[in-house]
Amino acid sequence: MSHNNKGSILIMTLIIFTIISIISMMCIGLIYTNNNISNLDYQNIKLREESLSGIEIVYSNILKEVKNAVEITRNEEEFKSYFLGNNSYDFINNVEDVSKSDLKNILIKFSDEDLSEENEFLKFDVISNARKNLYKKSIKVSVKIKNPWYMQVKDIKEENEQNKEVIDNHILENADLVEIPELIEDDKDKKDIDINEKDLVILYDYKEI
Amino acid sequence: MNYKNKGFTSIECIVSLSIICIAVYIVSTSVYASYNLVKSNEKNIEMLNIAKSSLEDKKYFVRNSELKEIKESLDTQEIGSYEVRTKLEKDKEYYQCFKINVKVISNLKKIELNSYVTQ
């Protein structure tokens, strides 16, 4: 009897030991993964905030540029040329400048397509890249700049045309009762219009790429 | 035959018990360490969520404020067992841009988030 049972307790112990080891290894693996996920989540939030901060600074730079453009320009074409053509290089450089901020891992760049013009809007895309060690996060945002003179110049022209017609009719008919409207001086009126640069810049379509 | 095997089972039992003791020690130590790690991760996630929500609140305040000049501020509040410090300062280098710094501090750890927002 004793002969048959020789070593069986030891073998059973080793089997149990192996099972316990496997189970504990699996538990440790799960916890290690949990720890990695938690760490990754933290890095993700930090990088996303940095990337969004880059976009906020770009927005601030665009507002400044648009404010300057509104102050300097007087009509639709001047406003457009402030951003397009030869001036576009300066505009892009000014907008991309985040060097004065505390953001050191950020790279701002315009998307491959140039600034495009669509009716009253100038459109372009900006990509903000944040990088830290092995982690990287990129956010792309589309920007629209509204031309403040677009509708107003059109309106003023239309109004002036209508007023001219009234004046002509007045002269032709010689009617005393009709009030003679004054023609609007373009430049004077444009300066009187209160333009808020925040109404002209629209950031939309945020995408993580 | 019986005489020759006498004592073998006892030795076998002692060896087995020693192996089990070592195994239990290793497993219990690692499980305890893992439990602490899970607890710490849970705390980190909680702190991170508090920091995120405080940051978003401040951003919302700056974006939707109708004040012409937003004052710089340093708020401290207690949320649960954490101390939350939110600092808002104007970045003079950029047009209407503010820097937000949120710190969530517990007894052992500190989590910090920084962001910029334009009014």
Side-chain angles (χ1 to χ4, degrees):
Chain A
M1 190 66 179
S2 294
H3 182 75
N4 285 341
N5 284 332
K6 209 162 86 179
S8 66
I9 294 174
L10 195 62
I11 289 162
M12 280 302 285
T13 311
L14 286 172
I15 290 167
I16 291 165
F17 178 74
T18 316
I19 291 166
I20 290 172
S21 303
I22 290 166
I23 291 168
S24 59
M25 290 281 274
M26 280 164 71
C27 289
I28 291 164
L30 280 173
I31 287 152
Y32 181 72
T33 311
N34 176 274
N35 190 38
N36 278 350
I37 290 169
S38 165
N39 190 36
L40 199 66
D41 189 35
Y42 180 52
Q43 293 295 338
N44 177 40
I45 289 169
K46 272 197 110 173
L47 284 179
R48 203 185 62 199
E49 281 308 326
E50 281 196 20
S51 206
L52 286 173
S53 298
I55 285 170
E56 286 295 325
I57 289 175
V58 164
Y59 177 51
S60 164
N61 288 338
I62 294 171
L63 285 181
K64 199 177 173 186
E65 289 294 313
V66 170
K67 196 185 173 205
N68 285 342
V70 169
E71 278 170 7
I72 294 166
T73 61
R74 282 161 187 276
N75 58 44
E76 196 186 325
E77 284 307 315
E78 278 180 22
F79 187 84
K80 260 192 258 172
S81 62
Y82 185 90
F83 299 99
L84 301 170
N86 293 334
N87 296 329
S88 67
Y89 183 73
D90 289 337
F91 170 66
I92 290 170
N93 275 349
N94 291 340
V95 166
E96 284 179 349
D97 182 22
V98 290
S99 58
K100 290 168 201 158
S101 70
D102 296 341
L103 304 170
K104 300 298 169 209
N105 308 315
I106 284 285
L107 182 71
I108 303 288
K109 58 177 185 176
F110 270 58
S111 67
D112 299 334
E113 293 162 29
D114 287 334
L115 280 87
S116 64
E117 193 192 335
E118 206 179 289
N119 296 330
E120 59 190 309
F121 293 106
L122 282 171
K123 287 183 173 177
F124 53 91
D125 294 336
V126 177
I127 299 168
S128 172
N129 293 307
R131 185 186 276 271
K132 198 176 180 189
N133 303 331
L134 292 169
Y135 305 106
K136 197 179 129 186
K137 170 100 33 202
S138 297
I139 293 179
K140 185 179 179 183
V141 66
S142 302
V143 184
K144 270 201 291 197
I145 301 175
K146 192 181 171 187
N147 193 328
W149 311 132
Y150 182 76
M151 285 306 287
Q152 276 145 24
V153 171
K154 212 178 170 185
D155 285 349
I156 288 165
K157 276 179 185 168
E158 276 172 11
E159 207 178 323
N160 276 346
E161 274 169 22
Q162 282 173 0
N163 290 347
K164 268 181 190 171
E165 275 175 27
V166 173
I167 292 166
D168 290 345
N169 290 339
H170 173 77
I171 293 164
L172 285 172
E173 290 168 12
N174 235 350
D176 297 332
L177 295 171
V178 179
E179 245 181 71
I180 305 168
E182 285 176 16
L183 288 178
I184 299 160
E185 288 171 41
D186 286 7
D187 290 349
K188 190 187 157 196
D189 266 60
K190 270 178 243 165
K191 283 291 160 197
D192 290 343
I193 299 163
D194 185 27
I195 296 169
N196 187 354
E197 63 277 2
K198 281 172 202 162
D199 299 333
L200 304 177
V201 182
I202 303 159
L203 265 69
Y204 63 102
D205 203 12
Y206 282 75
K207 276 183 224 158
E208 270 189 32
I209 50 172
Chain B
M1 190 69 178
N2 279 340
Y3 182 75
K4 273 185 183 176
N5 282 331
K6 215 161 108 182
F8 177 76
T9 312
S10 308
I11 293 162
E12 203 181 11
C13 280
I14 290 163
V15 170
S16 307
L17 277 172
S18 322
I19 291 170
I20 284 174
C21 282
I22 294 165
V24 166
Y25 174 75
I26 293 167
V27 168
S28 62
T29 315
S30 58
V31 165
Y32 182 70
S34 306
Y35 176 74
N36 280 344
L37 202 67
V38 168
K39 275 266 181 196
S40 148
N41 282 343
E42 228 171 77
K43 271 199 163 189
N44 283 353
I45 291 167
E46 210 179 329
M47 286 166 83
L48 201 59
N49 284 339
I50 290 171
K52 244 169 76 178
S53 103
S54 299
L55 192 69
E56 290 303 327
D57 282 351
K58 216 62 182 172
K59 276 187 184 180
Y60 182 83
F61 166 72
V62 173
R63 278 197 192 117
N64 297 294
S65 174
E66 285 173 4
L67 297 168
K68 278 196 173 176
E69 282 227 355
I70 296 174
K71 283 181 184 171
E72 296 189 348
S73 63
L74 173 63
D75 307 325
T76 308
Q77 55 174 327
E78 296 275 332
I79 298 177
S81 55
Y82 309 111
E83 188 189 332
V84 185
R85 286 184 202 159
T86 314
K87 193 176 173 189
L88 177 72
E89 57 182 337
K90 194 167 170 108
D91 193 322
K92 283 160 192 163
E93 301 290 342
Y94 295 99
Y95 180 66
Q96 294 199 331
C97 195
F98 291 83
K99 190 182 170 189
I100 305 170
N101 171 266
V102 178
K103 277 181 197 164
V104 181
I105 304 159
S106 76
N107 298 333
L108 302 167
K109 240 195 147 174
K110 188 174 87 175
I111 274 187
E112 193 174 350
L113 285 180
N114 291 308
S115 191
Y116 283 81
V117 64
T118 303
Q119 190 188 359

